[in-house]
Amino acid sequence: MPNITDQPPAPVQSDLERLRSHLDATLPKKSTGKNILLATWNLRAFGGLTKKWINDPGDSPQRNFHGIVCIAEILSRFDVIAVQEVKGNLRALRYLLKVLGERWGFLMTDVVRGDPGNDERMAFLFDTQRVKPSGLACELVLPEVAHTGIPDPANTFQRQFARTPYAVSFLSSGATFIMVTLHVVYGSGSSTEDRQRELKAIATWLADWATDAKAYNHNLIALGDFNIDRVGDPLYNAFTSTGLSTPSDLNAVPRTIFAKPGEPEKDKHYDQIAWFNTAAGIPKLALDYVKGGFVDFRGLVMSDLSNESLSWRMSDHFPLWAEFKV
């Protein structure tokens, strides 16, 4: 039986070389004491794994060693990555960590139970030579009644978040920051009401936390799959209603491998990286933003596959990243 630490077959090696060249040319380099590279990636249904380099017809799941080593190559370029859609089955994650190596650590939640939770975990992967956890790890839970500010008969958000946001604090070159990863409920059918309420509740929670003098730290960075649309959309407005802001260069890049020029209905802005920057009364993020972007792996790896098949080997989402000075 093949092992993921074996030398990859020639087609896989060719993909890795092409991917490395692209990443070398398009991503900032890690520079100790100068920068921190954060990312978020919704890895579609990241759970099961077929332990082969090349699938046979009918193999399920479609994700295999080829996909894992390509995902690992991308993740290795960042310092901390928030990962969404890690499933109850941890096989894919375990093999990913084998490829990343001993310098990599991870923290994650247990599975969220119930249909809205979709058997998902929230996770952070981090390069231990660049960052260290600094003590705080928690899930964001609401009191029994939490005011959201969205007009409704009771003016309340009367449930917990569908997939509980997960916050972890990290230390890098003397700078401490808290990353809060989210995967906002999508809701049923074409209705966006559930999402709008949850986005508003999360925005309110984060603003309250950032202004609380007793809070562990004020450097909050929210990142993940917000299931929102473009700037100006009601969902986007709900999330930014308490002062969270997103950098303009990230607002301009696609989020999904299905996005096509001229088809704005597919050009959703699901994933975001946001923080408090100019909101009145809320401490400004004490990290200087440099730039951000995304990694388009289409055409670099598994170029013989359709986008639909590629989405099950890699993901239907692009990784989104941001560089900060420290």
Side-chain angles (χ1 to χ4, degrees):
M1 178 176 289
N3 194 304
I4 201 166
T5 57
D6 295 340
Q7 180 75 12
V12 178
Q13 192 62 41
S14 294
D15 278 5
L16 285 171
E17 290 171 1
R18 204 162 31 247
L19 182 59
R20 286 168 185 150
S21 295
H22 174 77
L23 297 175
D24 287 343
T26 58
L27 294 181
K29 303 296 188 293
K30 296 183 181 183
S31 182
T32 302
K34 294 184 178 180
N35 69 355
I36 185 77
L37 296 169
L38 309 180
T40 180
W41 199 357
N42 180 322
L43 287 172
R44 187 175 193 178
F46 199 67
L49 180 71
T50 292
K51 295 192 285 185
K52 298 178 182 178
W53 290 105
I54 300 172
N55 286 3
D56 294 316
D59 279 345
S60 180
Q62 294 185 46
R63 185 173 282 120
N64 58 14
F65 287 171
H66 191 167
I68 293 294
V69 296
C70 292
I71 290 169
E73 183 61 41
I74 295 172
L75 294 181
S76 70
R77 304 304 179 104
F78 305 108
D79 298 318
V80 187
I81 309 99
V83 180
Q84 301 85 49
E85 288 203 27
V86 176
K87 307 291 274 186
N89 183 343
L90 292 174
R91 175 179 283 180
L93 179 63
R94 289 193 179 105
Y95 276 81
L96 175 64
L97 289 165
K98 285 184 181 181
V99 178
L100 287 170
E102 293 184 356
R103 66 182 278 176
W104 281 82
F106 73 101
L107 291 166
M108 67 181 182
T109 65
D110 197 359
V111 169
V112 180
R113 303 296 179 182
D115 289 343
N118 196 33
D119 190 41
E120 292 182 25
R121 308 170 187 269
M122 298 292 187
F124 288 102
L125 306 182
F126 54 96
D127 182 345
T128 62
Q129 292 187 8
R130 294 270 294 167
V131 301
K132 303 289 184 185
S134 61
L136 177 71
C138 64
E139 295 180 68
L140 276 56
V141 295
L142 295 169
E144 185 174 350
V145 175
H147 292 277
T148 67
I150 292 180
D152 76 305
N155 194 34
T156 58
F157 183 76
Q158 295 182 331
R159 63 168 175 80
Q160 288 299 328
F161 302 123
R163 288 167 287 217
T164 313
Y166 186 42
V168 173
S169 65
F170 293 95
L171 175 67
S172 176
S173 299
T176 303
F177 53 94
I178 296 174
M179 295 175 65
V180 184
T181 183
L182 321 167
H183 190 184
V184 172
V185 64
Y186 191 83
S188 59
S190 59
S191 173
T192 61
E193 183 178 353
D194 285 346
R195 267 182 285 167
Q196 190 170 350
R197 290 177 184 276
E198 184 159 298
L199 285 162
K200 179 69 175 182
I202 290 171
T204 301
W205 203 105
L206 291 175
D208 288 345
W209 196 15
T211 54
D212 183 356
K214 298 178 182 178
Y216 181 83
N217 192 288
H218 288 158
N219 265 336
L220 295 180
I221 301 172
L223 70 176
D225 183 354
F226 301 166
N227 271 319
I228 59 178
D229 210 324
R230 290 164 289 278
V231 175
D233 178 84
L235 296 169
Y236 182 93
N237 292 341
F239 185 73
T240 57
S241 60
T242 61
L244 285 165
S245 63
T246 58
S248 58
D249 52 355
L250 285 186
N251 290 332
V253 304
R255 304 305 203 263
T256 169
I257 69 173
F258 300 114
K260 294 181 180 178
E263 296 185 16
E265 70 278 4
K266 294 183 179 180
D267 188 20
K268 304 297 185 182
H269 281 199
Y270 304 112
D271 310 285
Q272 286 285 3
I273 301 175
W275 56 87
F276 294 105
N277 195 22
T278 60
I282 299 179
K284 180 180 177 180
L285 183 73
L287 294 172
D288 293 327
Y289 176 69
V290 179
K291 61 181 177 180
F294 75 113
V295 178
D296 187 349
F297 46 82
R298 294 173 301 182
L300 298 172
V301 300
M302 294 171 264
S303 57
D304 59 320
L305 298 181
S306 67
N307 281 343
E308 179 64 27
S309 293
L310 183 63
S311 75
W312 293 105
R313 304 287 183 93
M314 297 286 288
S315 182
D316 53 339
H317 291 242
F318 294 127
L320 196 67
W321 59 267
E323 179 187 17
F324 296 89
K325 292 181 182 177
V326 292

